[in-house]
């Protein structure tokens, strides 16, 4: 199997500086969220890359402290038979943000240029039509005022296999390993060619791809979030002033006897 050529990677980011900087960046993400809400902005962030490239982990760190009513993740399942007859982009349009919202696509319309192309889930005509229409579709989003950011998480073949084996051996991560993931190992070069072709057609000035080297997950998360923040012209918005009112005096309320209600057993007591 031919290996993907990669530049020499820096040392893995240590835990303490990672956690310190991640928290700082997450505080900025909260400021970004408030700016999006107040300004009525619409932000779309596309996360793409090979299986086990670290997309999900990065999305979790982005959304960890955000309001799920404002920032949501779109991870679409396999299309239904009806959706297969629609215009390809149609089911993704349904998940685009309204004013004051952020949508993070955990995989996106680029499925057609990746897994569908490699695994034969679309015809050659459908594939080439996608490559032709995609830049126009994204230009329409941008012209409508949507802020669009696209990130490609790049992982080496050796690191991908190590993560697959980790998932296979860890019962807490076993669910992450799908038959499609396993099959991707035997199609490494096919996916590489598909990614290169996709970039030729869709890495355009108005909606460029930003590649995130992701063999080091910590470094990848920090780099991706820092870039996202630097690319959006947000500003800190003063939060509304909130004061807690004084608690009113009791008016004689009596709580019902505890034995009339069912309580969760104190499982924690056995840990002491």
């Amino acid at each position: 199997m031919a290996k993907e050529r990669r530049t020499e990677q820096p040392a893995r980011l240590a835990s303490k500086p990672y956690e310190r900087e991640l928290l700082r960046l997450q505080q900025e993400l909260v400021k970004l969220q408030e700016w999006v809400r107040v300004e009525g902005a619409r932000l779309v962030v596309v996360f793409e890359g090979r299986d086990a490239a670290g997309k999900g982990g990065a999305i979790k760190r982005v959304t960890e402290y955000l309001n799920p009513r404002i920032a949501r993740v779109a991870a679409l399942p396999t299309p239904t038979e009806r959706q297969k007859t629609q215009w390809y982009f149609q089911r993704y349009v349904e998940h685009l943000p309204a004013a004051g919202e952020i949508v993070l696509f955990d995989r996106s319309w680029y499925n057609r240029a990746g897994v569908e192309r490699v695994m034969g889930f679309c015809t050659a005509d459908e594939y080439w039509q996608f490559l032709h229409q995609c830049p126009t579709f994204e230009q329409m989003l941008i012209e409508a005022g949507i802020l669009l950011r696209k990130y490609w998480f790049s992982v080496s073949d050796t690191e991908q296999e190590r993560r697959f084996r980790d998932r296979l051996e860890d019962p807490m991560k076993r669910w992450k390993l799908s038959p499609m993931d396993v099959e991707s190992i035997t199609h490494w070069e096919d996916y590489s060619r598909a990614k290169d072709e996709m970039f030729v057609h869709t890495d355009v000035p108005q909606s460029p791809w930003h590649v995130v080297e992701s063999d080091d997950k910590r470094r990848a998360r920090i780099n991706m979030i820092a870039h996202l923040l630097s690319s959006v012209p947000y500003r800190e918005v003063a939060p509304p002033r909130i004061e807690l009112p004084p608690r009113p005096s009791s008016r004689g309320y009596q709580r019902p006897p505890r034995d009339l209600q069912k309580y969760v057993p104190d499982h924690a007591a056995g840990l002491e």
Side-chain angles (χ1 to χ4, degrees):
M1 180 188 298
K3 294 185 177 181
E4 184 174 311
R5 295 181 180 177
R6 304 174 71 84
T7 57
E8 185 176 347
Q9 297 295 302
R12 292 187 181 272
L13 186 60
S15 176
K16 286 187 178 180
Y18 162 71
E19 291 173 358
R20 183 171 59 249
E21 179 63 6
L22 177 61
L23 183 59
R24 187 190 72 81
L25 292 173
Q26 289 174 325
Q27 291 171 343
E28 291 299 316
L29 285 169
V30 172
K31 296 176 185 177
L32 168 65
Q33 170 190 255
E34 187 63 9
W35 174 82
V36 166
R37 184 188 68 81
V38 170
E39 294 295 324
R42 292 172 290 168
L43 175 61
V44 169
V45 187
V46 169
F47 292 78
E48 289 287 350
R50 295 180 186 271
D51 298 316
K55 301 179 296 297
I59 291 171
K60 285 182 180 179
R61 273 63 183 188
V62 170
T63 60
E64 187 171 4
Y65 294 103
L66 300 186
N67 184 343
R69 293 184 177 87
I70 296 175
R72 55 187 168 84
V73 179
L76 277 62
T78 302
T80 64
E81 291 303 314
R82 180 176 182 275
Q83 288 171 332
K84 290 178 182 179
T85 67
Q86 296 175 337
W87 176 49
Y88 176 71
F89 295 96
Q90 187 168 337
R91 71 188 190 112
Y92 294 99
V93 169
E94 296 175 1
H95 295 270
L96 293 174
E101 293 181 349
I102 301 170
V103 175
L104 311 173
F105 278 94
D106 185 357
R107 295 198 181 278
S108 65
W109 45 89
Y110 283 100
N111 271 344
R112 174 135 296 178
V115 64
E116 290 191 17
R117 170 63 167 174
V118 173
M119 303 307 297
F121 296 155
C122 67
T123 66
D125 286 344
E126 289 171 332
Y127 169 73
W128 290 110
Q129 184 181 74
F130 168 82
L131 292 181
H132 173 70
Q133 292 183 349
C134 185
T136 303
F137 169 69
E138 292 178 352
Q139 182 63 33
M140 292 170 64
L141 300 184
I142 295 167
E143 289 177 355
I146 290 177
L147 300 170
L148 175 63
R149 302 294 182 268
K150 304 188 302 189
Y151 293 98
W152 176 270
F153 283 71
S154 178
V155 65
S156 65
D157 54 349
T158 53
E159 178 61 17
Q160 184 194 52
E161 184 172 353
R162 188 196 67 77
R163 292 176 186 177
F164 281 165
R165 292 192 182 281
D166 182 51
R167 293 178 179 182
L168 185 63
E169 297 166 2
D170 187 343
M172 301 294 285
K173 298 179 181 179
R174 181 64 181 80
W175 65 271
K176 292 184 177 182
L177 191 62
S178 69
M180 194 66 68
D181 293 336
V182 175
E183 195 164 355
S184 70
I185 295 176
T186 62
H187 290 279
W188 179 271
E189 288 194 10
D190 296 328
Y191 275 106
S192 294
R193 294 188 181 95
K195 176 255 185 181
D196 293 343
E197 188 70 36
M198 179 185 79
F199 268 46
V200 167
H201 293 270
T202 63
D203 185 19
V204 293
Q206 65 268 26
S207 56
W209 279 103
H210 301 285
V211 178
V212 182
E213 293 285 1
S214 62
D215 274 10
D216 181 349
K217 290 183 178 181
R218 292 173 181 168
R219 192 177 295 273
R221 293 164 187 166
I222 293 295
N223 292 342
M224 177 263 145
I225 297 174
H227 181 274
L228 174 63
L229 290 167
S230 71
S231 73
V232 179
Y234 74 99
R235 58 180 174 80
E236 186 170 1
V237 178
R241 184 178 177 83
I242 299 176
E243 294 184 0
L244 295 179
R247 189 175 295 277
S249 302
S250 172
R251 293 180 294 172
Y253 168 77
Q254 295 292 324
R255 180 174 180 169
R258 287 179 176 269
D259 57 7
L260 296 180
Q261 298 171 336
K262 292 183 174 61
Y263 283 83
V264 173
D266 189 3
H267 176 78
L271 306 177
E272 299 174 340

